[in-house]
Amino acid sequence: MRLGGAARFVIEIEEDKDLAEAYHFADEKKLPVYVIGGGSNIIGRDGGYNGVILVNKLHGIYVIDSDEDTIRLCAKSGELLDDFVDYSVKLFDGEQFGFSGIEALSKIPGTVGAAPVQNVGAYGQDIAQTLHHVCVYDYKDNCFKKMMASELNLGYRRSIFNTGDGVGRYFITSVTVELHKHWMKPPFYNSLQAYFDERNITEFSPAVVREAVSAIRASKLPDPKEYASSGSFFKNVYLNEEEAEAARAKDIPVWDGGKVPCGWLIEHAGLKGKEFYGMRVSDKAALVLINESAKSYADLAKARQAVIDAVYEKFGMTLEQEPMELGDE
Ligand SMILES: Cc1cc2nc3c(=O)[nH]c(=O)nc-3n(C[C@H](O)[C@H](O)[C@H](O)COP(=O)(O)OP(=O)(O)OC[C@H]3O[C@@H](n4cnc5c(N)ncnc54)[C@H](O)[C@@H]3O)c2cc1C
């Protein structure tokens, strides 16, 4: 969002062994620690961060092993997720080019290490579907650990890393996924299927899916290099069965699992393209807030409230923010 104050200390982590020293430094100064990958899902508050920011610079991508149906790939957590996807769709194992499981996550900004934190997802895939395990530095127990995907309580935009006691406890150092040798099959996520149908595409190699997702994202989402945003600013709303029935009766779209797309709610509250306190509701995708001219977190907070209030007034549903926040107001 390109907002917020300065951090007191910043340490770049280039090797796993830097971590113990960095946490020790923070302990000695009695300061809190915060981990940053690409910073694309973090909003800085105006007062700055009186603590130690660890910036992830761990690099490397490796093939671990494979069998008849699957291949395991590991990426150090500072790699860009999109580079990891690119690697997976181009990989040749002597028989086949391209492995399936993360190709629909193409062009999600940020690092591999942040992917399990909110279980990133797009176009019908999320990292939970292929995540095998992560390696972490556990600040509480002061040691490195391997944690299997089943231990991470992965859900919609949720994991042990962003909820409960796990918040701030772990630095994820690497992520291992188990990809498939068989490719994705139709039916695909609506907009992806429409893309294939319009172009009569019938072969769905991971590279083809990656290309399609990249093209759809480029047409729908503001380019993060050009526009300051955090991607989806609000989370989709999930309704129970009773609420879903009531919503459908009012012609509100409710998808599988009671999901109401927050972009639809914002657009139908008449906010698409509107600007509040220097923050614009994207005219391409209403769930994205773009920083046009806001100078402070305080402006963002007022704009956020204006959107939440308008949606609540129209539909009686309360939107929740997706990005994390950091620092003092
Ligand atoms: C234009 C745009 C489009 C987007 N589209 C999508 C989308 O389609 N789907 C989706 O799910 N998200 C999307 N996002 C959100 C964002 O890309 C993801 O949340 C991504 O995982 C953030 O990566 P990052 O490295 O920038 O994380 P950061 O913003 O740096 O950090 C995010 C959180 O993860 C924690 N964290 C980061 N690295 C580590 C680590 N190594 N160990 C422990 N904790 C860590 C941080 O402390 C913080 O709490 C989008 C964002 C933008 C700007």
Side-chain angles (χ1 to χ4, degrees):
M1 279 297 189
R2 299 179 201 153
L3 292 174
R8 175 102 173 265
F9 294 100
V10 175
I11 300 177
E12 294 192 344
I13 302 298
E14 289 175 348
E15 294 179 74
D16 287 6
K17 67 180 175 54
D18 299 342
L19 282 164
E21 205 181 321
Y23 281 102
H24 180 69
F25 171 85
D27 277 350
E28 276 198 327
K29 299 244 177 298
K30 297 195 172 31
L31 289 174
V33 172
Y34 199 87
V35 182
I36 286 192
S40 58
N41 214 35
I42 299 172
I43 295 170
R45 299 198 191 105
D46 294 335
Y49 183 64
N50 186 23
V52 181
I53 299 273
L54 304 185
V55 181
N56 189 354
K57 300 281 180 188
L58 300 175
H59 290 292
I61 298 180
Y62 320 91
V63 176
I64 304 290
D65 57 17
S66 67
D67 59 27
E68 239 172 67
D69 301 318
T70 61
I71 189 161
R72 270 187 218 164
L73 304 184
C74 171
K76 293 301 286 182
S77 54
E79 289 289 341
L80 291 179
L81 178 62
D82 193 53
D83 288 348
F84 192 35
V85 176
D86 194 54
Y87 180 91
S88 73
V89 306
K90 289 179 179 159
L91 183 65
F92 180 59
D93 74 341
E95 283 176 12
Q96 169 174 329
F97 274 109
F99 296 87
S100 177
I102 53 175
E103 61 272 47
L105 307 182
S106 292
K107 304 298 175 200
I108 295 183
T111 55
V112 167
V117 174
Q118 68 152 8
N119 182 23
V120 294
Y123 299 93
Q125 271 180 358
D126 60 27
I127 197 77
Q129 292 166 13
T130 45
L131 187 66
H132 187 265
H133 69 266
V134 295
C135 292
V136 299
Y137 178 78
D138 181 343
Y139 174 46
K140 189 169 166 218
D141 291 350
N142 192 21
C143 64
F144 289 93
K145 280 182 185 166
K146 173 175 171 179
M147 299 173 87
M148 303 308 291
S150 56
E151 296 175 65
L152 305 181
N153 196 20
L154 295 159
Y156 172 65
R157 299 296 178 265
R158 191 195 68 219
S159 72
I160 59 157
F161 302 114
N162 68 2
T163 46
D165 295 346
V167 176
R169 175 169 171 180
Y170 304 100
F171 186 114
I172 299 166
T173 58
S174 72
V175 168
T176 298
V177 292
E178 189 167 77
L179 303 183
H180 311 288
K181 293 191 175 175
H182 59 262
W183 294 341
M184 289 174 87
K185 286 198 192 100
F188 291 93
Y189 196 82
N190 285 353
S191 49
L192 195 50
Q193 187 67 56
Y195 181 95
F196 290 140
D197 292 345
E198 279 159 25
R199 290 161 184 80
N200 291 322
I201 295 171
T202 51
E203 195 202 274
F204 307 110
S205 71
V208 166
V209 175
R210 170 168 168 75
E211 199 183 313
V213 167
S214 304
I216 297 168
R217 289 183 73 99
S219 70
K220 283 198 177 156
L221 286 167
D223 178 355
K225 287 193 191 111
E226 221 178 306
Y227 297 98
S229 92
S230 300
S232 317
F233 189 82
F234 295 103
K235 294 184 193 175
N236 292 316
V237 176
Y238 280 83
L239 304 178
N240 63 32
E241 269 179 37
E242 201 180 313
E243 291 164 337
E245 210 172 302
R248 282 195 192 98
K250 291 188 207 154
D251 288 332
I252 298 173
V254 184
W255 298 358
D256 284 352
K259 169 175 157 180
V260 179
C262 66
W264 187 95
L265 294 171
I266 297 168
E267 183 174 348
H268 288 79
L271 304 179
K272 207 172 183 181
K274 291 245 164 84
E275 196 172 317
F276 305 92
Y277 308 96
M279 303 292 311
R280 187 159 55 78
V281 177
S282 167
D283 48 14
K284 282 183 168 182
L287 74 176
V288 178
L289 283 186
I290 295 170
N291 182 2
E292 292 282 358
S293 58
K295 293 283 176 290
S296 65
Y297 171 84
D299 287 339
L300 169 71
K302 284 187 270 181
R304 170 180 59 205
Q305 202 53 47
V307 174
I308 291 174
D309 289 348
V311 167
Y312 186 80
E313 207 168 289
K314 177 102 184 174
F315 300 109
M317 294 184 199
T318 305
L319 294 178
E320 272 179 46
Q321 177 176 319
E322 182 186 297
M324 320 287 288
E325 292 194 7
L326 181 60
D328 303 319
E329 288 196 29

